[in-house]
Amino acid sequence: MTTAGTTTGESLPPALTAENLVVEYPAGRGRKVHAVSGVGLEVAAGETLGILGESGCGKSTVGRSLIQLPPPDSGTVRLGEVTLTGLAPAELRRARARMQIIMQDPVSALNPRRKVKDLVWEGLSIWGSGDDPRDKDTRIDAALRDVGLDPATVRDRRPHELSGGQCQRVCVARALLLDPEVLICDEPVSSLDVSVQAQILNLLETATRRRGLSMVFIAHDVSVVKNISDRVMVMYLGKTCEVLPSDGMQDEAVHPYTRLLLASLPEAQRGPVAVADPAVSDGPAADLPSPLDPPSGCRFRTRCPLATGLCSEAEPPLRDIRPGHRVACHHV
Ligand SMILES: Nc1ncnc2c1ncn2[C@@H]1O[C@H](COP(=O)(O)OP(=O)(O)OP(=O)(O)O)[C@@H](O)[C@H]1O
Ligand SMILES: [Mg+2]
């Protein structure tokens, strides 16, 4: 965790701001998946914001909207002073180099035909100062060493000659070589062995701390998100339920859904359970809400022990209950 990132994200100008993001996917016959419905966030310089929630709640969609791949249907994303939403394509590509994304599956993120040294240099040759190749080899080697890879061993290998963990290290090296201000990590360790997971998490934590990088860290594993993040944003069915400091989260969380996630920690570690996903036909989702037709009012009300009539009539606003802690619930 960082010291620069306060629990409130207020002391430094935000490195990344998103307001009211909305993403809807067409689902045929005039229907649409309400994947993300009015989500906002703020990440201070040097801060790590975790995004937590069950499978299908919209975490990756938020991550992709932040980096504008694709842009949200509506809402605003600002990277420092630059508003990304609405930029012309060429300007957007340039600005986007300041924000890099690390994906869940490192092997498919890498072109299988290219050697590690070219993969690491790829981004810089397109967006950065890679047009001056004089120090190319030195910089590639330093980037590989930075992520714990031995340049002499790996620089001429192709992705299939590396382990999953090594591939993820190459992805991290490639992202860091562009000297980004913000790193978006979407389940960066979910496809890796437990022992390798810890190594990659350490690597990300050290790299962000050393460089003062801001990070958005998406995962469904409560303990992973809690450990790496300064603050945690909990999502349910395309909405934000609660945002709170990760320190003391176990005791301080008040939203019934966050409490449920924390209470089911061992289950959460075994893997996500379902929010009904229209893309999955054989899930046990009959009585779970669908993002095709989310519940009125509070989207969590159909599973909530505190639900009353008010919850179906009015959507609870996300409100501050103390510095750095926001919650969207009528009853807490
Ligand atoms: N390209 C797409 N077209 C249609 N629906 C999509 C598309 N991408 C995502 N969805 C749907 O949008 C919803 C949110 O998906 P998203 O991938 O953002 O969830 P997630 O929280 O990242 O889930 P997971 O933890 O499984 O990665 C889901 O119902 C999903 O089926
Ligand atoms: Mg996802």
Short mmCIF file of all heavy atoms in Angstrom, two decimals, residues 109-112 114-123 157-159 170 174:
data_model
loop_
_atom_site.label_atom_id
_atom_site.label_comp_id
_atom_site.label_asym_id
_atom_site.label_seq_id
_atom_site.Cartn_x
_atom_site.Cartn_y
_atom_site.Cartn_z
N ALA A 109 -2.42 -12.06 -24.16
CA ALA A 109 -2.15 -10.62 -24.32
C ALA A 109 -0.90 -10.38 -25.16
O ALA A 109 -0.65 -9.27 -25.61
CB ALA A 109 -1.99 -9.96 -22.96
N LEU A 110 -0.10 -11.46 -25.34
CA LEU A 110 1.18 -11.30 -26.04
C LEU A 110 1.11 -11.96 -27.42
O LEU A 110 0.62 -13.09 -27.55
CB LEU A 110 2.30 -11.95 -25.23
CG LEU A 110 2.53 -11.34 -23.83
CD1 LEU A 110 3.51 -12.21 -23.03
CD2 LEU A 110 3.05 -9.92 -23.93
N ASN A 111 1.60 -11.28 -28.42
CA ASN A 111 1.67 -11.85 -29.77
C ASN A 111 2.60 -13.06 -29.77
O ASN A 111 3.79 -12.93 -29.47
CB ASN A 111 2.18 -10.76 -30.73
CG ASN A 111 2.25 -11.22 -32.17
OD1 ASN A 111 2.34 -12.42 -32.43
ND2 ASN A 111 2.21 -10.29 -33.09
N PRO A 112 2.06 -14.27 -30.08
CA PRO A 112 2.87 -15.49 -29.93
C PRO A 112 4.08 -15.55 -30.86
O PRO A 112 5.02 -16.31 -30.61
CB PRO A 112 1.87 -16.61 -30.28
CG PRO A 112 0.78 -15.96 -31.06
CD PRO A 112 0.70 -14.53 -30.59
N ARG A 114 6.13 -13.05 -31.60
CA ARG A 114 7.19 -12.09 -31.32
C ARG A 114 8.05 -12.53 -30.13
O ARG A 114 7.59 -13.22 -29.23
CB ARG A 114 6.59 -10.71 -31.02
CG ARG A 114 5.67 -10.24 -32.12
CD ARG A 114 5.53 -8.75 -32.12
NE ARG A 114 6.69 -8.09 -32.70
CZ ARG A 114 6.87 -6.78 -32.72
NH1 ARG A 114 5.98 -5.99 -32.18
NH2 ARG A 114 7.95 -6.26 -33.27
N LYS A 115 9.31 -12.12 -30.17
CA LYS A 115 10.22 -12.44 -29.07
C LYS A 115 9.99 -11.46 -27.92
O LYS A 115 9.50 -10.34 -28.13
CB LYS A 115 11.67 -12.34 -29.53
CG LYS A 115 12.03 -13.41 -30.54
CD LYS A 115 13.49 -13.32 -30.90
CE LYS A 115 13.86 -14.49 -31.81
NZ LYS A 115 15.24 -14.41 -32.29
N VAL A 116 10.39 -11.90 -26.72
CA VAL A 116 10.18 -11.09 -25.52
C VAL A 116 10.73 -9.67 -25.70
O VAL A 116 10.07 -8.68 -25.39
CB VAL A 116 10.84 -11.78 -24.30
CG1 VAL A 116 10.96 -10.82 -23.12
CG2 VAL A 116 10.03 -13.01 -23.90
N LYS A 117 11.93 -9.57 -26.26
CA LYS A 117 12.55 -8.23 -26.38
C LYS A 117 11.68 -7.32 -27.26
O LYS A 117 11.54 -6.12 -26.98
CB LYS A 117 13.97 -8.33 -26.94
CG LYS A 117 14.06 -8.95 -28.30
CD LYS A 117 15.51 -9.11 -28.73
CE LYS A 117 15.58 -9.77 -30.10
NZ LYS A 117 16.93 -10.17 -30.47
N ASP A 118 11.07 -7.88 -28.30
CA ASP A 118 10.22 -7.06 -29.17
C ASP A 118 8.89 -6.75 -28.50
O ASP A 118 8.33 -5.67 -28.69
CB ASP A 118 9.97 -7.78 -30.50
CG ASP A 118 11.29 -8.07 -31.21
OD1 ASP A 118 12.16 -7.17 -31.21
OD2 ASP A 118 11.46 -9.19 -31.73
N LEU A 119 8.39 -7.73 -27.73
CA LEU A 119 7.12 -7.51 -27.02
C LEU A 119 7.26 -6.38 -26.01
O LEU A 119 6.38 -5.53 -25.87
CB LEU A 119 6.68 -8.80 -26.32
CG LEU A 119 6.25 -9.92 -27.25
CD1 LEU A 119 6.19 -11.26 -26.51
CD2 LEU A 119 4.89 -9.61 -27.88
N VAL A 120 8.39 -6.38 -25.30
CA VAL A 120 8.61 -5.35 -24.29
C VAL A 120 8.75 -3.98 -24.95
O VAL A 120 8.25 -2.97 -24.45
CB VAL A 120 9.86 -5.68 -23.44
CG1 VAL A 120 10.26 -4.52 -22.55
CG2 VAL A 120 9.60 -6.91 -22.59
N TRP A 121 9.38 -3.94 -26.12
CA TRP A 121 9.65 -2.68 -26.80
C TRP A 121 8.44 -2.17 -27.59
O TRP A 121 8.35 -0.97 -27.91
CB TRP A 121 10.85 -2.87 -27.74
CG TRP A 121 11.44 -1.58 -28.24
CD1 TRP A 121 11.39 -1.08 -29.51
CD2 TRP A 121 12.19 -0.63 -27.48
NE1 TRP A 121 12.04 0.12 -29.58
CE2 TRP A 121 12.55 0.42 -28.34
CE3 TRP A 121 12.58 -0.55 -26.13
CZ2 TRP A 121 13.29 1.52 -27.92
CZ3 TRP A 121 13.32 0.56 -25.71
CH2 TRP A 121 13.66 1.57 -26.61
N GLU A 122 7.51 -3.10 -27.87
CA GLU A 122 6.37 -2.82 -28.74
C GLU A 122 5.67 -1.49 -28.45
O GLU A 122 5.55 -0.62 -29.34
CB GLU A 122 5.36 -3.95 -28.54
CG GLU A 122 4.51 -4.30 -29.71
CD GLU A 122 3.80 -5.64 -29.45
OE1 GLU A 122 3.19 -5.81 -28.37
OE2 GLU A 122 3.89 -6.52 -30.31
N GLY A 123 5.25 -1.33 -27.20
CA GLY A 123 4.48 -0.13 -26.85
C GLY A 123 5.29 1.13 -27.04
O GLY A 123 4.81 2.13 -27.59
N ARG A 157 13.25 -15.42 -26.23
CA ARG A 157 12.18 -16.44 -26.21
C ARG A 157 10.87 -15.85 -26.71
O ARG A 157 10.65 -14.65 -26.67
CB ARG A 157 11.97 -16.96 -24.79
CG ARG A 157 13.12 -17.81 -24.31
CD ARG A 157 12.66 -18.63 -23.12
NE ARG A 157 13.79 -19.25 -22.46
CZ ARG A 157 13.70 -19.87 -21.30
NH1 ARG A 157 12.55 -19.92 -20.65
NH2 ARG A 157 14.75 -20.43 -20.75
N ARG A 158 9.99 -16.77 -27.12
CA ARG A 158 8.63 -16.37 -27.48
C ARG A 158 7.69 -16.77 -26.34
O ARG A 158 8.06 -17.61 -25.51
CB ARG A 158 8.23 -17.02 -28.80
CG ARG A 158 9.05 -16.50 -29.97
CD ARG A 158 8.56 -16.97 -31.32
NE ARG A 158 9.20 -16.24 -32.40
CZ ARG A 158 10.42 -16.47 -32.86
NH1 ARG A 158 11.15 -17.45 -32.36
NH2 ARG A 158 10.93 -15.72 -33.83
N PRO A 159 6.45 -16.19 -26.30
CA PRO A 159 5.57 -16.43 -25.14
C PRO A 159 5.37 -17.91 -24.80
O PRO A 159 5.32 -18.26 -23.61
CB PRO A 159 4.25 -15.78 -25.57
CG PRO A 159 4.68 -14.66 -26.45
CD PRO A 159 5.88 -15.18 -27.21
N VAL A 170 6.33 -10.16 -18.28
CA VAL A 170 6.62 -9.46 -19.54
C VAL A 170 5.57 -8.37 -19.78
O VAL A 170 5.90 -7.24 -20.17
CB VAL A 170 6.67 -10.45 -20.73
CG1 VAL A 170 6.75 -9.71 -22.06
CG2 VAL A 170 7.84 -11.42 -20.57
N ARG A 174 6.40 -4.43 -20.07
CA ARG A 174 6.01 -3.66 -21.25
C ARG A 174 5.19 -2.44 -20.86
O ARG A 174 5.39 -1.34 -21.38
CB ARG A 174 5.18 -4.57 -22.16
CG ARG A 174 4.66 -3.89 -23.37
CD ARG A 174 4.18 -4.87 -24.37
NE ARG A 174 2.96 -5.55 -23.93
CZ ARG A 174 2.21 -6.26 -24.75
NH1 ARG A 174 2.58 -6.41 -26.00
NH2 ARG A 174 1.12 -6.85 -24.33
#
